[in-house]
Amino acid sequence: MAGRDEDDRRPDHVNRSTSSGPADLVQARDVYGGVHFHPGGTSSVYIPPRELPGDVRGFVNRVEELGSLNRLLAGEAVDVGLSVICGTAGVGKTALALRWAHAVRERFPDGQLYANLRGYDPGQPSRPEEVLDRFLRALGIPPSAVPADLDDRAALYRSRLADRRVLVLLDNAATVRQVRPLLPGTSSCLVIVTSRSKLSGLVSRDGGRRLTLPMLSDGDAVKLLHEVTAGYRAGDDPEELAELARLCARLPLALRIAAERAASRPLMPLAELIQDLRDESALWDALTTEEGEEADAVRTVFAWSYRALSPSAARLFRLLGLHPGPDVSAPAAAALAGVPVTQVRQPLDALVGAHLLEQGAPGRYQLHDLLRAYAIDQARYLESEESRQAALARVLAWHLHTADAALGRSLPFYRTEQLEPPTDVTPLAFTDAGEADAWLVAEQNNLVAVTRAAADAGLPRIAWLLAVLLRSVFMHRNAFDGWFTTARIGLAAARTLGDRRAEAEALESLGKAYFQARRLAEAEDSHRAALSIRREIGDEHGTAVSVNALGLLALRHRRLDDALTHFGESLDIFNRRGDRRWRALLLSNLGETRYELGDLDDAVSLLEQALAVQRDIDDRGQEGNSLFFLSMALRELGRTGEALTAIEAALAVAESGSPLWLAHWLVEYSRVQRALGSPAAALEAAHRAATIQRRLGDLSREAMALDEAGEAYRALGQPEDAIAFHRRAAAVHRQLGDDWPLAVTLDHLATALAGIGHAEEAHRCWDEATRILTRFPDPRAERLRARVASAAQDNRRPDREG
């Protein structure tokens, strides 16, 4: 909105929500006026997720186990909805699950979901609430409609999967607690879980069928060796292949690594490779808590393959174990190693070729959890404590400075901290906002992990700086899990440093997260705490920012006099400091508040003052927001042509900027078109607004667009359609607790109902609107209440319903 502070441009009375399920997607079809919506019901547009990783190379046999999995399906139906594939580390559980899932995926036309739960990873295991957040988004739930609570997420997940045929693969689960919230509540879906544990609770309580995966037979192990080395070696003695398989304990992970080494040395006699493996040192600590032949074999094969690497590849491998995130890019790997990115590409290729590293996507790599543990062991043995700390500090600094560069390209006005140039890493540079945004999306999980790792490693300055940077990133995506996690880490880090200014920044981030998540009481607590610190330390700029935040809260609660007071106080400070951008922001906030009060001439004056500054400093986003509110004020003043000019200029900003702006401003464009006598154009604009809002996940603003579509239908002489859309909008506003837009929508609904003779229901709507409006003492509310009472009085006649 015009004049908002840096991290919140949304009008408070149409704020977002995370507390409910998604509104139904609106669709278009050809009718009078060119566009028609279908409110309510199930969305006719569903894009099935296709998340299965690629099938494995060199898969052999497992005929009996595949047959057992096939028996989970009975004809066209799912016979058993849960299967647990368990077995020792490296036995091929994931390979079996993927091979079967790819074979039967057509039986699940509504999609396939995949999550690596990282239950045995040396780093943080995946939490079920994080997995549910990603699954719900993949299933079409907009970000703001994902509930904050684990139980609520699980319930919405079950609802979304009801009557759908979806295959869910949950890889590397450690505990039943990780899995149970991810189980659908419908017999039409099938869940496959892989684990080193038996997960007995899933069998006894949840009706799962356990499949214990043994090590490969001698014949199958030799066949796998043949599959991988085919085309590279010829004439190997079958008995020597059998011996190599035995040394690998017939475990597919170890067999593939051994086979890759054999394939890379086609002229070396297999007997020499076997002797190398026999002679391999057994000094390394076991990788897992398991004991026996399998653990020894895996450890020995890893060591054997690792010792064959070039020095640069071996060093990179052990340093990769220190990376805190779930995957790593080539530039991040270069930062770890302290070398240019050109010097890590060949070692990365060597590690992938040796089967010690997986390439999950172009330019992105990940370690199997056993190999990650082994890499960490090697780093502890062969890298000094100083070397390990330096490598970790480099990769943390690389993420910090690259995130800063991305934010500077995509959201330049949102950078609140000026970083010193890095001394020992080269962050990425971005050519445009799209490239920067793509990096931020790809690295989102890593950035959360890096923030946590910085705090754990005793680098609190990096932790709180990352948290402050990520505030703006997460805010624009409604990524509340990451936002709250990093904000709290940042707050703790600032307090560890004893840095009161940093503490206030972290509190401000928490306040914004709470505000956007509609947890307004907690938002106010955080902002007041930040304000107290800023006043205490004499941070005048920060004080003004916090006072402005309290003004936004007052505006959200429609305490308009309080909002004027806060915005005025903040404006005085920025005027005194000569901060032109913030002065324009506060003028816009005051302009919006005057508009809400109904002081339209004052609103126009304030907004025009804000626009002059915003155009001068090229603050395009805020210029568009000021134009948006200017259009609203001009339209209500009857200056419709000027309003059209303003809103068209705002839309020109949005078309090359944020879809969030575009969707919201299109609603005002629709109102202007109605005022100009073009209801068909109004309906088209409302349709586009609702469709974009549905994709963005802003339920409240989507409801506003639906309400405006209802008004356009009424102007087109289609009252039944108008009523349907007003009902849907009112239901959403009521569900979200948005009283002011609810009262406005109820008035629209009542007017449409009265227009076709449904007087009794119309009066119920007007009565409810009147009760709501008595809570608001401002002049606009009083005028609306008087108009509602007059309309109700004018329409007191017998109900013609039925």
Side-chain angles (χ1 to χ4, degrees):
M1 57 158 259
R4 288 266 160 147
D5 79 354
E6 297 183 82
D7 289 344
D8 202 322
R9 291 172 170 164
R10 299 163 180 78
D12 291 328
H13 58 275
V14 289
N15 214 26
R16 302 184 135 184
S17 171
T18 61
S19 63
S20 63
D24 299 314
L25 183 64
V26 290
Q27 299 298 317
R29 63 179 171 84
D30 292 332
V31 294
Y32 173 71
V35 182
H36 192 83
F37 298 114
H38 296 286
T42 303
S43 166
S44 62
V45 174
Y46 171 75
I47 302 175
R50 309 292 186 196
E51 296 189 344
L52 292 178
D55 202 354
V56 294
R57 182 168 68 94
F59 186 88
V60 297
N61 206 325
R62 298 294 193 190
V63 173
E64 182 178 342
E65 290 82 1
L66 289 170
S68 179
L69 290 170
N70 284 335
R71 288 190 287 275
L72 298 172
L73 304 176
E76 294 299 316
V78 175
D79 186 39
V80 178
L82 172 63
S83 177
V84 179
I85 302 175
C86 61
T88 190
V91 78
K93 302 179 293 295
T94 300
L96 173 66
L98 283 175
R99 171 54 57 98
W100 186 77
H102 277 284
V104 301
R105 62 184 178 182
E106 299 304 322
R107 302 280 296 275
F108 297 91
D110 294 316
Q112 303 91 44
L113 296 169
Y114 172 85
N116 184 351
L117 301 185
R118 304 186 183 279
Y120 301 95
D121 194 278
Q124 291 280 336
S126 299
R127 296 183 299 137
E129 50 266 47
E130 295 170 342
V131 177
L132 282 169
D133 177 65
R134 189 172 63 74
F135 278 3
L136 287 169
R137 294 174 189 234
L139 291 166
I141 304 298
S144 70
V146 176
D149 181 72
L150 171 61
D151 290 340
D152 290 341
R153 287 185 183 183
L156 180 56
Y157 170 70
R158 291 191 296 270
S159 297
R160 192 65 171 171
L161 290 182
D163 302 321
R164 285 196 167 124
R165 293 176 63 95
V166 174
L167 177 64
V168 183
L169 176 49
L170 305 175
D171 206 8
N172 296 314
T175 65
V176 171
R177 184 176 298 176
Q178 263 191 309
V179 173
R180 190 162 278 143
L182 308 177
L183 298 179
T186 176
S187 61
S188 60
C189 294
L190 174 61
V191 180
I192 304 294
V193 182
T194 72
S195 179
R196 296 180 204 171
S197 304
K198 291 185 177 180
L199 301 181
S200 298
L202 294 181
V203 176
S204 61
R205 176 177 162 183
D206 298 289
R209 179 180 295 172
R210 182 185 295 122
L211 172 61
T212 301
L213 196 60
M215 286 167 300
L216 292 173
S217 67
D218 290 337
D220 284 342
V222 170
K223 184 178 179 182
L224 191 153
L225 292 172
H226 271 304
E227 291 277 348
V228 177
T229 59
Y232 300 94
R233 301 180 62 90
D236 286 331
D237 186 288
E239 290 188 5
E240 290 181 337
L241 285 170
E243 173 65 7
L244 182 57
R246 186 192 67 76
L247 290 169
C248 294
R250 306 190 309 280
L251 289 168
L253 176 61
L255 287 164
R256 287 191 178 88
I257 292 172
E260 291 288 355
R261 184 171 177 191
S264 68
R265 292 161 175 78
L267 300 180
M268 180 179 286
L270 193 59
E272 290 186 27
L273 290 168
I274 291 172
Q275 188 59 45
D276 281 350
L277 183 52
R278 285 198 188 109
D279 293 343
E280 184 56 56
S281 170
L283 296 177
W284 313 115
D285 289 336
L287 296 172
T288 71
T289 57
E290 298 170 283
E291 296 180 356
E293 179 185 358
E294 297 86 3
D296 289 341
V298 172
R299 178 197 61 211
T300 302
V301 170
F302 286 178
W304 175 65
S305 184
Y306 167 75
R307 287 166 66 87
L309 296 171
S310 68
S312 61
R315 178 171 181 265
L316 181 61
F317 172 76
R318 58 182 179 261
L319 291 179
L320 286 173
L322 304 178
H323 188 270
D327 65 354
V328 63
S329 66
L336 265 172
V339 299
V341 70
T342 55
Q343 294 183 23
V344 298
R345 299 198 185 280
Q346 190 279 330
L348 285 169
D349 289 343
L351 292 173
V352 172
H355 234 288
L356 296 175
L357 189 66
E358 300 171 20
Q359 186 169 8
R364 304 198 71 82
Y365 305 87
Q366 57 188 12
L367 287 166
H368 187 285
D369 53 7
L370 287 177
L371 285 162
R372 182 177 172 87
Y374 184 76
I376 291 172
D377 278 347
Q378 299 317 298
R380 287 172 179 160
Y381 282 124
L382 300 175
E383 301 287 336
S384 67
E385 176 71 18
E386 181 182 5
S387 172
R388 296 197 304 273
Q389 289 181 346
L392 180 60
R394 283 194 301 271
V395 79
L396 298 180
W398 180 85
H399 278 93
L400 172 66
H401 286 279
T402 302
D404 183 57
L407 194 65
R409 179 64 68 178
S410 62
L411 297 165
F413 283 113
Y414 287 70
R415 297 165 78 189
T416 59
E417 298 297 320
Q418 293 298 317
L419 304 184
E420 294 293 328
T423 57
D424 53 356
V425 294
T426 303
L428 296 180
F430 301 96
T431 58
D432 55 40
E435 187 180 75
D437 285 337
W439 184 85
L440 289 167
V441 170
E443 292 288 340
Q444 180 166 311
N445 291 335
N446 280 336
L447 289 167
V448 175
V450 163
T451 306
R452 183 184 290 112
D456 292 344
L459 297 169
R461 176 169 172 76
I462 290 180
W464 85 259
L465 284 171
L466 268 168
V468 169
L469 279 172
L470 293 174
R471 170 178 70 196
S472 299
V473 175
F474 294 144
M475 178 195 67
H476 281 79
R477 291 173 172 80
N478 270 3
F480 289 112
D481 283 350
W483 192 356
F484 280 117
T485 297
T486 54
R488 287 165 179 150
I489 291 171
L491 179 58
R495 287 171 173 166
T496 297
L497 286 168
D499 187 330
R500 297 286 277 166
R501 192 185 72 81
E503 183 180 354
E505 281 286 332
L507 284 165
E508 183 185 329
S509 181
L510 268 178
K512 293 179 186 301
Y514 284 131
F515 183 91
Q516 196 158 317
R518 300 175 61 83
R519 295 161 62 176
L520 300 183
E522 292 160 294
E524 184 161 357
D525 288 345
S526 296
H527 283 307
R528 288 197 180 279
L531 176 60
S532 176
I533 292 172
R534 285 165 164 170
R535 281 177 169 158
E536 174 191 324
I537 65 176
D539 179 1
E540 193 175 47
H541 176 94
T543 294
V545 171
S546 291
V547 171
N548 179 66
L550 294 178
L552 300 179
L553 279 160
L555 193 56
R556 173 65 183 86
H557 290 295
R558 205 168 178 83
R559 299 194 304 263
L560 301 181
D561 288 341
D562 290 345
L564 285 177
T565 299
H566 289 309
F567 293 146
E569 180 184 347
S570 185
L571 178 61
D572 287 344
I573 296 174
F574 286 121
N575 279 336
R576 188 165 63 249
R577 292 178 59 84
D579 191 320
R580 298 183 71 209
R581 179 171 187 266
W582 273 98
R583 178 176 182 273
L585 286 167
L586 268 300
L587 287 170
S588 269
N589 275 351
L590 285 165
E592 181 194 0
T593 309
R594 286 295 178 188
Y595 166 81
E596 292 293 348
L597 284 164
D599 300 334
L600 301 180
D601 289 323
D602 286 346
V604 169
S605 176
L606 289 162
L607 290 164
E608 287 177 340
Q609 292 177 61
L611 278 165
V613 177
Q614 288 156 355
R615 286 167 175 157
D616 190 48
I617 65 175
D618 197 28
D619 189 353
R620 293 280 285 162
Q622 289 296 335
E623 178 189 349
N625 272 316
S626 294
L627 286 164
F628 163 66
F629 276 104
L630 179 63
S631 174
M632 294 176 71
L634 290 169
R635 174 176 50 80
E636 291 194 19
L637 284 168
R639 296 159 61 180
T640 314
E642 294 171 81
L644 178 63
T645 299
I647 196 60
E648 286 181 337
L651 292 177
V653 171
E655 291 284 4
S656 59
S658 166
L660 185 150
W661 305 335
L662 177 64
H664 192 46
W665 300 344
L666 276 167
V667 175
E668 170 59 15
Y669 180 76
S670 176
R671 296 184 188 116
V672 172
Q673 289 297 332
R674 279 196 298 113
L676 290 168
S678 300
L683 182 59
E684 184 177 358
H687 165 249
R688 190 178 180 199
T691 301
I692 298 172
Q693 294 291 11
R694 178 64 181 84
R695 187 172 70 247
L696 293 172
D698 192 328
L699 299 182
S700 182
R701 286 186 174 180
E702 183 185 355
M704 292 184 67
L706 294 174
D707 182 53
E708 171 56 26
E711 290 294 90
Y713 273 123
R714 189 159 63 88
L716 283 165
Q718 298 175 231
E720 296 290 351
D721 288 316
I723 289 166
F725 276 84
H726 292 317
R727 286 193 201 281
R728 177 58 183 157
V732 174
H733 287 314
R734 186 178 288 108
Q735 183 181 21
L736 300 180
D738 284 343
D739 283 347
W740 175 256
L742 174 58
V744 172
T745 300
L746 286 170
D747 175 42
H748 294 160
L749 175 57
T751 302
L753 288 164
I756 60 172
H758 293 191
E760 184 176 344
E761 186 180 358
H763 280 279
R764 286 199 298 269
C765 293
W766 274 319
D767 286 345
E768 184 181 358
T770 300
R771 289 194 299 272
I772 293 171
L773 291 168
T774 56
R775 305 170 197 163
F776 301 111
D778 60 89
R780 179 181 288 272
E782 291 174 358
R783 286 194 292 271
L784 178 57
R785 188 165 62 248
R787 192 175 64 75
V788 165
S790 175
Q793 182 63 38
D794 291 344
N795 285 275
R796 289 198 180 279
R797 59 181 182 270
D799 189 6
R800 296 201 298 268
E801 293 182 50

